[in-house]
Structure formats: structure tokens, C-alpha cells
């Protein structure tokens, strides 16, 4: 069903001293559920830093929530924004540093930079040939703050950069880790840690990017042998020769494809 786009957009930026306080604010905002809030996204301090560096923005380099509101009444948009600010104030956000834009278009350049966080992470360290590992887990909202803060701490403990960018209000977040081939051992260790924490928090190994080949073992760990065996039997019934994406999403059967 098509709906008419609301005529008004507004937005704002909320800075925090640490990423846990930012995510705790998101958890509170989800519970309040301001009706006009369209987007609520997060960059951690390194995410803001590399965005400033690569896209020439001038944001304060600290964890920051990016908010957007849509509707037909400017006063109601501001009211919903103020609801989130009140929650943020309980979690260390300084009201004097909050930015509000009555006309959301004035924040479009910042939103565009936010969408470029992968490119920014790739160029962040200034080392030619950096690749970017992208984590993708999703956890229940009540466990979100501890999971995000723990992931950032784990990444730093391994000596890696951690650029967090997230559609945070749905429980899904990404850690972008620039690295060289010599750092892959640490990256793999970080991936194992973030997935273990997500599962311990009642979450899932992939929020939106899928299982593919790289997360097959993690997915099997999440769902268990019995569930995987059922899925394999369905796959084998539909694809007895194993021609359709063998080894993706599900592990290859131990006895190999059927012989016709």
C-alpha cells in the first residue's frame, strides 16, 4: 500500500561520553516509541573520527546518536525529539551539546557521511591495502548496551580499530574492523568473541547480512544439530546432487551429494 510521504522532516545529534550510555538511551527510546521517529542510528567515537577524517565533517569525536523524525506537525516532531533528549540526559548526554535541526535537509550531508562508514573505515588508518571486516549480529533490545560495549572493548583489547555503525534501534549493529592480512588472526578471534557474546545474550549470529560460507559453523552452533539436520534433509530433497550453492548456509552432508 502506498502512503503519502509526510511533509516535514527534522533531526538531531546526541553526543555521549561512552558507547554504553548511547545505547542505553536507545533502549529507553524504543520503550517510549516516539511515533514520529523514523531513524535512530549510532556511530561510536572511532566511527565519528573516521567520518570526520574522510568526509570532512566536523562532528565532536565521541559516541553519537543520529535521529530523524517525520510528520505533518513541527511541534509534534520537536516534542518527540525532546522525549529522546530527556532519556539521553539520564544517561550522561549533556543537553547543551545536543544539536536539533528543524529542517532535516540540513543534516543530509551528515547522513550521507554516515552511510559511507565502510569506505571511511577502509581509509581510516591511512595504510594502503586495508581490508574491512564487517561483523553483523543482532540481540534482544534489553541486552543491546552490554553487547555493543563489550564488542568495542574486545576489539580494542586485541589491538584493532573498531568502527561501530548501527541501525541500533532494531538490535542490529556492525563493527567495521580495518586490517591487514597479518592481523587476520586477531580479526577471527574478535569475530568469535562477538558471536559468542551475541548468542549468550539470546541473539543471532546474523542480523541482516546472512550466513553465506563464513558463518556456517556459527549458525550451526546457534541452531543445534537437530535443526540443521532437518534443514539439510529439505535441501537434499530439493537438490539431491548438491548443485545449488553447496556449502552455503548449511554444511555439506557428511556422506556427500546423492548419486543418481
Amino acid at each position: 500500500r502506498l502512503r503519502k510521504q509526510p511533509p516535514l522532516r527534522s533531526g538531531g545529534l546526541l553526543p555521549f561520553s561512552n558507547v554504553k550510555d548511547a545505547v542505553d538511551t536507545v533502549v529507553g527510546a524504543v520503550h517510549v516509541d516516539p511515533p514520529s521517529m523514523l531513524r535512530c542510528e549510532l556511530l561510536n567515537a572511532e566511527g565519528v573520527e573516521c567520518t570526520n577524517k574522510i568526509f570532512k565533517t566536523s562532528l565532536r569525536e565521541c559516541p553519537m546518536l543520529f535521529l530523524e523524525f517525520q510528520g505533518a506537525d513541527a511541534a509534534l516532531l520537536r516534542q518527540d525529539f525532546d522525549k529522546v533528549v530527556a532519556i539521553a540526559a539520564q544517561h550522561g548526554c549533556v543537553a547543551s551539546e545536543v544539536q536539533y535541526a528543524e529542517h532535516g535537509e540540513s543534516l543530509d550531508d551528515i547522513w550521507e557521511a554516515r552511510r559511507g562508514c565502510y569506505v571511511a573505515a577502509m581509509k581510516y588508518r591511512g595504510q594502503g591495502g586495508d581490508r574491512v571486516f564487517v561483523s553483523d549480529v543482532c540481540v534482544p533490545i534489553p541486552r543491546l548496551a552490554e553487547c555493543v560495549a563489550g564488542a568495542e572493548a574486545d576489539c580494542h583489547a586485541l589491538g584493532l580499530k573498531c568502527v561501530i555503525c548501527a541501525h541500533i534501534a532494531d538490535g542490529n549493529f556492525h563493527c567495521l574492523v580495518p586490517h591487514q592480512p597479518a592481523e587476520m588472526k586477531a580479526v577471527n578471534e574478535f569475530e568469535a568473541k562477538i558471536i559468542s557474546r551475541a548468542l549468550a545474550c539470546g541473539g543471532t549470529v546474523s542480523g541482516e547480512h546472512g550466513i553465506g560460507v563464513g558463518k556456517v559453523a556459527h549458525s550451526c552452533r546457534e541452531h543445534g544439530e537437530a535443526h540443521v539436520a532437518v534443514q539439510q534433509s529439505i535441501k537434499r530433497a530439493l537438490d539431491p546432487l548438491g548443485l545449488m550453492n553447496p556449502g552455503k548456509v548449511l554444511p555439506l552432508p557428511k556422506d556427500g551429494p546423492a548419486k543418481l
Side-chain angles (χ1 to χ4, degrees):
R1 182 179 178 182
L2 296 178
R3 297 180 184 273
K4 185 177 180 180
Q5 184 169 325
L8 301 178
R9 290 172 57 212
S10 67
L13 306 175
L14 277 61
F16 296 84
S17 61
N18 63 76
V19 75
K20 184 178 184 301
D21 285 345
V23 183
D24 277 331
T25 296
V26 173
V27 174
V30 169
H31 288 158
V32 172
D33 193 20
S36 69
M37 189 167 75
L38 179 68
R39 286 193 284 182
C40 176
E41 303 203 8
L42 167 75
L43 286 180
N44 69 339
E46 286 165 289
V48 176
E49 181 185 351
C50 72
T51 296
N52 283 344
K53 182 177 180 181
I54 304 304
F55 291 100
K56 310 306 179 185
T57 50
S58 55
L59 301 171
R60 180 183 170 190
E61 292 180 355
C62 63
M64 190 167 295
L65 294 180
F66 295 67
L67 307 176
E68 183 174 77
F69 301 82
Q70 282 192 353
D73 186 324
L76 290 179
L77 299 189
R78 182 59 195 249
Q79 180 178 318
D80 283 348
F81 177 75
D82 288 342
K83 288 179 183 177
V84 180
V85 171
I87 297 167
Q90 299 172 17
H91 298 287
C93 179
V94 181
S96 61
E97 297 181 0
V98 169
Q99 299 180 48
Y100 179 72
E102 183 176 356
H103 303 289
E105 294 79 4
S106 64
L107 295 178
D108 282 350
D109 287 344
I110 291 175
W111 278 110
E112 189 63 28
R114 152 66 185 91
R115 285 190 287 269
C117 59
Y118 181 86
V119 173
M122 186 180 296
K123 298 179 179 179
Y124 180 28
R125 303 195 301 178
Q127 298 182 22
D130 260 3
R131 297 182 178 182
V132 178
F133 165 79
V134 183
S135 75
D136 170 46
V137 295
C138 190
V139 299
I141 295 295
R143 307 294 298 276
L144 185 57
E146 66 177 282
C147 196
V148 173
E152 184 182 62
D154 285 343
C155 199
H156 291 162
L158 290 165
L160 300 167
K161 290 288 188 181
C162 182
V163 175
I164 296 178
C165 56
H167 331 292
I168 195 72
D170 61 3
N172 181 220
F173 71 97
H174 311 294
C175 297
L176 280 60
V177 184
H179 63 278
Q180 294 283 329
E183 298 171 294
M184 274 307 302
K185 181 179 179 180
V187 171
N188 290 335
E189 186 175 346
F190 170 66
E191 181 185 31
K193 285 178 177 292
I194 193 172
I195 287 175
S196 292
R197 178 175 280 103
L199 293 178
C201 288
T204 181
V205 303
S206 178
E208 61 175 339
H209 294 172
I211 301 304
V213 173
K215 284 189 173 180
V216 169
H218 298 303
S219 180
C220 291
R221 177 182 166 196
E222 175 182 349
H223 296 292
E225 290 184 10
H227 178 96
V228 171
V230 170
Q231 296 298 320
Q232 283 179 315
S233 67
I234 296 171
K235 171 75 159 58
R236 192 162 190 170
L238 297 173
D239 179 27
L241 297 181
L243 300 179
M244 297 188 293
N245 288 329
K248 285 190 177 182
V249 182
L250 296 168
L252 292 169
K254 295 179 181 178
D255 55 353
K259 296 179 174 60
L260 299 182

